[in-house]
Amino acid sequence: MAKIIVTGGVPLRGEVRVSGAKNAVLPILCATLLADAPVEIGNVPHLHDVLTTIKLLEGLGAAVEHDVAGARVVVDPRAVHSHVAPYELVRTMRASVLVLGPLLARFGAAEVSLPGGCAIGARPVDLHIKALEALGAEISVEHGFIRARAERLRGGHVVFETISVGATENVLMAATLAEGTTLIDNAAREPEIVDLAECLIAMGADIRGAGTSRIEVRGVAKLRGARHAVIADRIETGTFLVAAAMTGGRVTATAARPDTLGAVLDRLRQAGAGVEIAADRITVDMEGRRPRAVDIVTSPHPGFPTDMQAQFMALDCVADGTATIDETIFENRFMHVNELMRLGADIAIDGPRATVRGVARLSGAPVMATDLRASASLILAGLMAEGETTIDRIYHLDRGYEHIERKLSGLGARIRRVG
């Protein structure tokens, strides 16, 4: 099984190009099912989750052309002949549930296996189901499948009890072909929602308010083919910038979207880093200093993203001072704590709060990745540890980071993949 070995002690310096966003490209790939002609998607990262989604689309009957070198995918949904998303594909990736809304809206039926993915919390599908039922769908859950039917969806009023990115995306896609107008209240406001809406609009959808808590969708009779380039990955960007701050280096992220990273950049400034922004470039310069401890409370966008919590915990492990980290989104998202402590971190857990006391140095050790963002935090900690840190179960990493060891090596990190 592949592992990553990191030898710490090198300040990162240089430029790194940001890939397309994992959390944007997956729903956009699912949205291609709504079209009546091919859809071309650009800036597609080469990730395991992207490959899984392509297999899922092909299993439904879509013709898919994947140009890895050109970071481009063309999906022709006209040959789709199945509305069943099987367990063997869905079990590895929770985002697979996002085919539910498009299949239901386009073909009047969908059967989607209950999803799998990272074990960081329950993330129930109830919100998806209730939202689609508000559009007139008849849905049952039996034998491990969500089974949905609707001759044609009708516009309705969806009010989410709690904010859900995935459920917002599912009902947003479904509503584009519903008869009448749909209002989505307490909608997720993440940049990836806006990116999905912009792709759907390019396909002919009538959507207003994406990026706010109320989205209005006026249903249309059909969606057409289109071209769309995926937004830059704000989590990958943040990960490299945190690595720069932790190691006392200077890193510029190019092809980035600074406007999507407000809360992350604010915390980097609080940690003592210099932050420079110019168009699609973000530079973080710690000028050889040790970062200051930074308190974190995760919350839906525009708050601090839960997907950056583990990386900032790694920073706090080596920072000057003591920080508290409150995880309000996922109940199991402190599984990386025990692994960080194997490297010498001083962390105490009390329910959803972690208290991190910065230490002068970490020491390399064998550790095991427990989920996607935990994998990144262990690499970051390894960059600061004396000796070698060996990270096992890195298949999590390949779900969401494109060639992370190659990109970090380009910044001077001593990192390699083995096995």
Side-chain angles (χ1 to χ4, degrees):
M1 186 177 293
K3 301 177 183 181
I4 281 181
I5 299 175
V6 184
T7 304
V10 179
L12 300 188
R13 300 189 182 281
E15 293 189 357
V16 59
R17 182 178 177 84
V18 177
S19 299
K22 164 191 177 290
N23 290 338
V25 70
L26 302 183
I28 286 171
L29 284 169
C30 295
T32 63
L33 293 168
L34 293 161
D36 65 358
V39 178
E40 180 178 328
I41 306 167
N43 200 30
V44 176
H46 187 48
L47 303 172
H48 184 74
D49 277 8
V50 169
L51 299 178
T52 300
T53 305
I54 288 172
K55 286 182 182 176
L56 177 55
L57 294 174
E58 290 175 331
L60 296 171
V64 182
E65 175 193 341
H66 187 191
D67 175 9
V68 175
R72 184 180 70 100
V73 172
V74 179
V75 181
D76 186 344
R78 289 175 293 185
V80 169
H81 54 75
S82 171
H83 58 262
V84 179
Y87 174 71
E88 54 265 27
L89 287 176
V90 175
R91 68 184 176 86
T92 64
M93 188 182 68
R94 290 178 186 264
S96 300
V97 76
L98 294 177
V99 299
L100 181 64
L103 285 174
L104 183 60
R106 178 80 196 284
F107 304 103
E111 294 188 23
V112 180
S113 174
L114 291 170
C118 285
I120 60 172
R123 295 203 272 192
V125 296
D126 297 16
L127 295 173
H128 298 251
I129 292 172
K130 290 178 181 177
L132 293 172
E133 286 178 335
L135 303 189
E138 297 179 0
I139 302 178
S140 62
V141 179
E142 51 190 22
H143 307 301
F145 272 84
I146 306 166
R147 292 186 165 90
R149 297 285 185 276
E151 186 171 331
R152 186 181 179 189
L153 294 174
R154 303 184 306 272
H157 190 190
V158 176
V159 183
F160 285 115
E161 300 168 11
T162 57
I163 295 173
S164 167
V165 174
T168 299
E169 290 168 340
N170 232 337
V171 73
L172 172 61
M173 290 186 283
T176 61
L177 294 181
E179 184 177 1
T181 298
T182 298
L183 289 178
I184 307 170
D185 275 320
N186 203 25
R189 299 163 60 187
E190 272 67 9
E192 294 79 15
I193 299 283
V194 178
D195 202 35
L196 171 62
E198 289 178 353
C199 179
L200 291 167
I201 290 168
M203 294 162 61
D206 187 348
I207 301 170
R208 304 171 193 191
T212 74
S213 59
R214 167 171 275 202
I215 302 175
E216 179 181 341
V217 187
R218 299 179 182 180
V220 297
K222 63 178 183 177
L223 294 182
R224 57 180 179 265
R227 291 182 177 178
H228 178 79
V230 175
I231 192 174
D233 195 315
R234 61 194 172 106
I235 305 303
E236 184 195 34
T237 308
T239 300
F240 288 122
L241 298 180
V242 169
M246 287 179 66
T247 62
R250 177 185 173 90
V251 169
T252 298
T254 66
R257 280 286 299 268
D259 59 314
T260 67
L261 283 156
V264 169
L265 297 180
D266 285 346
R267 298 315 186 283
L268 285 167
R269 292 186 184 100
Q270 290 175 25
V275 179
E276 302 171 13
I277 297 171
D280 65 349
R281 298 166 63 88
I282 308 171
T283 300
V284 162
D285 191 349
M286 192 55 90
E287 299 176 346
R289 300 186 305 269
R290 183 182 180 187
R292 296 191 295 264
V294 181
D295 293 337
I296 298 294
V297 179
T298 64
S299 60
H301 192 78
F304 188 89
T306 181
D307 279 356
M308 284 299 302
Q309 176 257 106
Q311 297 90 314
F312 268 83
M313 182 179 285
L315 181 146
D316 282 333
C317 286
V318 297
D320 182 14
T322 298
T324 57
I325 298 177
D326 293 294
E327 176 55 66
T328 71
I329 308 296
F330 294 125
E331 67 273 19
N332 292 341
R333 207 158 202 177
F334 282 154
M335 292 190 294
H336 46 281
V337 167
N338 288 337
E339 302 304 303
L340 289 170
M341 291 173 68
R342 286 178 53 79
L343 301 176
D346 184 352
I347 307 171
I349 299 293
D350 183 10
R353 168 169 286 187
T355 301
V356 187
R357 296 174 178 84
V359 298
R361 63 179 56 88
L362 300 173
S363 57
V367 291
M368 181 177 67
T370 52
D371 62 67
L372 170 55
R373 305 307 172 184
S375 307
S377 75
L378 296 176
I379 288 178
L380 298 187
L383 293 173
M384 291 297 294
E386 295 180 346
E388 284 191 349
T389 299
T390 301
I391 303 156
D392 203 354
R393 292 178 64 180
I394 61 166
Y395 56 84
H396 290 294
L397 194 71
D398 295 331
R399 291 184 49 235
Y401 288 94
E402 183 177 43
H403 308 308
I404 190 170
E405 70 274 17
R406 186 186 306 171
K407 291 186 176 184
L408 286 171
S409 293
L411 298 173
R414 293 178 291 185
I415 180 172
R416 67 188 192 275
R417 183 181 294 238
V418 298

